[in-house]
Amino acid sequence: MTTTTVDQRSTEPSLHTIGAVCERLREEFPDVSISKIRYLEDQGLLRPRRTRGGYRLFSDEDIERLETILRLQRDEFLPLRVIRTELDAHAHGTGTAKRRPPALSDPGGEIDIGELCERAGITADFARRLEEYDLVTPRIEAGERMYREGEVDIAAACGRLARHGLDARHLRAFRTAAGRQSALLEQLVASGLRSRDLERRRAALDDLESLAGVATELAQHLLVRDLREASER
């Protein structure tokens, strides 16, 4: 393990290379990798120092932040946009931000199956299984599968559940439930979404995002309640 540490007499904190950070976290997060940490930095979630040669150096505070990000992904299945909001709210002393799903009007860019698998920590075979049960939905372009950025968070969550014994066919239940919820919420703003008036469509989309946030919160509360009752039987 390679760790760069400044003179202990200095007030500067200890600094760690990206490889040392991986080794330090691997016991709790077996799937952590250098490429994943780099990706989190690219998304603006981490801001390590850089040497003149361009090497990343992480402080203990950086590592604590990274641990928080990884736990929110693993334990609460939060997408990166929501995690960023949570961390920013905490940094500004505004407490825990109200969690919202990714913006409906911002689907993000597209990636191929190789990048999807690398970032989600799944195999190509498992990705195809997720497609089979409509958990991730690619767009076929010239015979190549292209996925929206948001599919990464879905695939990663499915991968974590699969490691506990839930196969893609079992995870289809989540897709079915989400489909029913989205259909129900869509009915509430359907006329606005179909309107020819641009402002009315935007207002309907804003309403739909707000409803999605409330529905997500309700689903989480109901799930926690049911699991708590199951643990008390």
Side-chain angles (χ1 to χ4, degrees), residues 98-104 178 180-193 201-220:
K98 186 175 181 180
R99 292 172 186 163
R100 294 171 60 91
L104 302 180
R180 290 172 178 169
Q181 292 172 18
S182 64
L184 180 63
L185 297 181
E186 185 182 352
Q187 291 178 17
L188 301 177
V189 295
S191 61
L193 292 176
R201 287 203 304 272
R202 286 176 177 170
L205 188 59
D206 288 342
D207 288 342
L208 192 58
E209 288 188 5
S210 297
L211 290 168
V214 176
T216 299
E217 185 177 353
L218 173 60
Q220 183 178 13

Side-chain angles (χ1 to χ4, degrees), residues 53-201:
Y55 293 100
R56 298 169 177 83
L57 293 177
F58 294 80
S59 66
D60 290 337
E61 183 178 358
D62 292 329
I63 296 174
E64 289 178 6
R65 182 181 175 91
L66 175 56
E67 288 174 330
T68 298
I69 294 168
L70 295 175
R71 289 187 185 113
L72 288 172
Q73 283 188 304
R74 181 193 65 194
D75 301 338
E76 301 193 36
F77 309 109
L78 296 183
L80 294 182
R81 291 184 182 89
V82 178
I83 291 175
R84 185 183 298 109
T85 301
E86 292 268 333
L87 294 174
D88 290 346
H90 179 74
H92 290 89
T94 56
T96 301
K98 186 175 181 180
R99 292 172 186 163
R100 294 171 60 91
L104 302 180
S105 58
D106 179 23
E110 289 188 323
I111 56 177
D112 61 21
I113 190 170
E115 187 172 354
L116 173 80
C117 292
E118 179 181 356
R119 284 165 52 179
I122 63 174
T123 65
D125 180 65
F126 186 67
R128 298 297 172 85
R129 291 279 288 165
L130 294 180
E131 288 180 33
E132 180 182 351
Y133 290 99
D134 200 28
L135 287 153
V136 296
T137 53
R139 180 178 65 84
I140 309 300
E141 180 178 318
E144 184 177 7
R145 287 173 163 78
M146 302 300 295
Y147 304 81
R148 288 180 173 177
E149 291 276 350
E151 302 290 299
V152 173
D153 295 320
I154 296 172
C158 289
R160 290 193 292 273
L161 288 172
R163 286 190 283 275
H164 288 276
L166 292 178
D167 187 61
R169 62 190 176 89
H170 302 123
L171 296 172
R172 177 69 183 273
F174 293 92
R175 178 67 185 89
T176 301
R180 290 172 178 169
Q181 292 172 18
S182 64
L184 180 63
L185 297 181
E186 185 182 352
Q187 291 178 17
L188 301 177
V189 295
S191 61
L193 292 176
R194 292 194 298 266
S195 174
R196 295 183 179 180
D197 183 85
L198 180 59
E199 289 302 319
R200 189 180 176 193
R201 287 203 304 272

Side-chain angles (χ1 to χ4, degrees), residues 38-47 65 69 84 87-88:
R38 287 173 176 165
Y39 174 69
L40 292 175
E41 180 187 357
D42 291 341
Q43 295 300 302
L45 288 158
L46 296 171
R47 300 178 182 85
R65 182 181 175 91
I69 294 168
R84 185 183 298 109
L87 294 174
D88 290 346

